[in-house]
């Protein structure tokens, strides 16, 4: 049975918010989902605006905020904002590229309770990761992870965006994460931001999609990021959502305050409002953009035998590949099997 958030009854507030808190970054990853927003240089919210947004989310009992960027730790006031969010009772997760983690920063993070970190690493070897994230980044990321271990900060995961060039290392990546005391997490590569230009270079082949599906079915301990439900087998059904939560359970806030259904739908067509000028919770409830996402019933997929497992898959992939939200995820398991959607 679907949770209330994924039925026709809309929530009064999101459960989870992804907040790209800064445009600043010290890397230029080839698949960066935020590349377009960063290139536009639209500016960032002020500290006061950020605190007002936190107040609004806290008043609506938003459970979790996932802070990303850019690289969030490059924003000078980010630790203050993080502490403010925690003081308001919001569970916080920070997605970092790991290269800026040092003893001083990690020591301050270790003093915070209930903080989760996600460290990006796109391969189990320097050659694979560095081809995506930049020369020397593999070693720098592992130095950052070593800082986390020295300070006994244990609630962290290593996240790999699975692409054509690193999918062969998923098993080794899981082993590496275990050796480093981290949880292994895999995320889908999607044609958003810089991923649009690198889509053909990085998208998985049908054979690789099938191999990945089989691997995930056999390794239920591995965490999977959003929208893998369109690919994973029945054995993982109990482990997470069976349909997209964008505009239903989640929303995204850009560095300048722009509100979108999710971090992978930051195209101008999906701009729903301005969190600097109005309540982001009100935008979630009242936006026509969000209402359109909620009304999407993926009719093209409704007759599929796997519909109850994925409900059409990831709308971001569908939109950027086919320019239609109703087309269904072109990388679902049935498409990989050649059965269509």
């Amino acid at each position: 049975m679907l949770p209330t958030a994924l039925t026709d009854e809309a929530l009064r507030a999101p459960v989870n918010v992804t907040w790209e808190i800064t445009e600043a970054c010290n890397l230029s990853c080839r698949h960066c989902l935020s590349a377009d927003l960063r290139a536009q240089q639209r500016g960032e919210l002020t500290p006061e605006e950020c605190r007002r947004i936190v107040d609004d989310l806290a008043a609506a009992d938003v459970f979790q905020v996932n802070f990303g960027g850019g690289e969030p730790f490059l924003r000078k006031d980010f630790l203050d904002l993080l502490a403010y969010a925690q003081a308001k009772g919001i569970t916080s997760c920070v997605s970092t590229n790991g290269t800026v983690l040092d003893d001083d920063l990690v020591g301050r993070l270790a003093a915070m309770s209930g903080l989760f970190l996600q460290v990006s690493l796109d391969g189990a070897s320097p050659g694979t990761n560095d081809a995506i994230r930049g020369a020397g980044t593999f070693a720098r990321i592992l130095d950052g992870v070593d800082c986390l271990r020295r300070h006994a900060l244990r609630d962290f995961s290593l996240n790999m965006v699975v692409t054509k060039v690193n999918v062969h290392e998923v098993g080794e990546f899981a082993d590496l994460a275990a050796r480093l005391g981290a949880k292994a997490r895999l995320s889908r590569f999607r044609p958003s931001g810089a991923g649009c230009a690198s889509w053909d270079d990085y998208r998985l082949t049908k054979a690789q999609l099938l191999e990945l599906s089989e691997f995930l079915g056999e390794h239920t301990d591995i965490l999977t990021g959003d929208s893998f439900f369109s690919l994973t087998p029945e054995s993982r059904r109990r482990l997470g959502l069976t349909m997209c939560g964008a505009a239903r359970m989640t929303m995204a806030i850009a560095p300048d305050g722009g509100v979108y259904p999710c971090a992978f739908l930051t195209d101008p067509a999906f701009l729903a409002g301005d969190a600097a000028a109005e309540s982001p919770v009100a935008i979630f409830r009242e936006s026509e953009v969000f209402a359109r996402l909620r009304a999407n019933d993926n009719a093209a997929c409704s007759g599929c035998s796997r519909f109850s497992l994925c409900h059409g898959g990831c709308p971001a992939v569908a939109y950027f590949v086919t320019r239609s939200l109703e087309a269904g995820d072109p990388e679902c398991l049935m498409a990989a099997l050649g059965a269509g959607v």
Side-chain angles (χ1 to χ4, degrees):
M1 186 164 191
L2 292 174
T4 301
L6 300 182
T7 66
D8 291 336
E9 184 181 348
L11 290 179
R12 63 181 181 84
V15 176
N16 180 291
V17 173
T18 297
W19 191 347
E20 310 293 353
I21 196 66
T22 183
E23 296 177 337
C25 194
N26 58 331
L27 301 183
S28 296
C29 302
R30 291 194 62 200
H31 55 28
C32 176
L33 71 91
S34 303
D36 289 348
L37 289 176
R38 290 170 53 206
Q40 293 168 24
Q41 296 185 330
R42 294 186 298 185
E44 298 180 358
L45 295 163
T46 67
E48 294 76 17
E49 289 170 335
C50 288
R51 287 194 292 271
R52 285 202 300 271
I53 291 172
V54 170
D55 290 343
D56 188 63
L57 300 179
D61 294 323
V62 169
F63 174 68
Q64 181 169 311
V65 173
N66 298 324
F67 290 101
E71 169 52 50
F73 290 121
L74 292 181
R75 178 166 169 142
K76 293 182 179 179
D77 66 338
F78 176 60
L79 289 183
D80 293 335
L81 178 62
L82 188 59
Y84 188 78
Q86 289 201 305
K88 291 287 184 175
I90 296 176
T91 298
S92 301
C93 176
V94 182
S95 180
T96 173
N97 65 38
T99 64
V100 298
L101 298 176
D102 58 24
D103 283 316
D104 177 64
L105 172 57
V106 174
R108 296 176 69 183
L109 296 175
M112 298 182 180
S113 59
L115 176 66
F116 298 89
L117 290 178
Q118 178 181 299
V119 182
S120 297
L121 182 71
D122 282 326
S125 64
T128 300
N129 173 84
D130 291 5
I132 300 171
R133 306 191 70 83
T137 54
F138 186 87
R140 292 166 62 194
I141 294 165
L142 292 196
D143 285 344
V145 171
D146 190 51
C147 268
L148 297 177
R149 299 176 70 194
R150 286 201 305 272
H151 288 266
L153 207 159
R154 305 192 184 282
D155 286 323
F156 73 96
S157 62
L158 292 184
N159 181 76
M160 182 171 89
V161 178
V162 185
T163 65
K164 183 187 297 183
V165 300
N166 64 17
V167 65
H168 63 286
E169 291 186 354
V170 290
E172 296 170 59
F173 176 81
D175 292 341
L176 174 63
R179 291 198 302 273
L180 295 175
K183 296 175 182 177
R185 185 178 186 272
L186 302 179
S187 290
R188 280 185 70 181
F189 168 58
R190 278 168 282 192
S192 181
C196 291
S198 57
W199 178 244
D200 290 334
D201 294 331
Y202 282 173
R203 67 179 302 183
L204 299 178
T205 65
K206 287 187 176 183
Q208 289 172 331
L209 287 168
L210 293 175
E211 291 170 6
L212 180 59
S213 178
E214 182 177 353
F215 176 83
L216 291 172
E218 294 172 351
H219 297 81
T220 55
D221 56 321
I222 292 179
L223 304 175
T224 51
D226 35 24
S227 81
F228 260 123
F229 46 77
S230 62
L231 185 64
T232 51
E234 177 77 27
S235 59
R236 292 186 68 93
R237 180 169 188 161
R238 62 181 177 79
L239 298 180
L241 296 176
T242 58
M243 69 182 298
C244 174
R248 294 180 172 91
M249 291 184 70
T250 68
M251 70 178 184
I253 302 175
D256 69 337
V259 176
Y260 300 87
C262 86
F264 294 94
L265 283 173
T266 55
D267 187 87
F270 298 100
L271 178 61
D274 180 5
E278 53 189 318
S279 157
V281 173
I283 295 171
F284 177 85
R285 287 197 300 260
E286 301 166 9
S287 162
E288 292 183 7
V289 172
F290 280 39
R292 180 157 57 101
L293 264 291
R294 293 184 190 116
N296 180 24
D297 60 3
N298 295 106
C301 299
S302 60
C304 176
S305 61
R306 278 177 50 87
F307 188 69
S308 65
L309 285 169
C310 79
H311 293 82
C314 175
V317 178
Y319 178 78
F320 287 111
V321 173
T322 71
R323 308 313 293 183
S324 171
L325 290 173
E326 290 77 28
D329 191 331
E331 289 194 326
C332 74
L333 186 57
M334 296 304 285
L337 287 168
V341 292

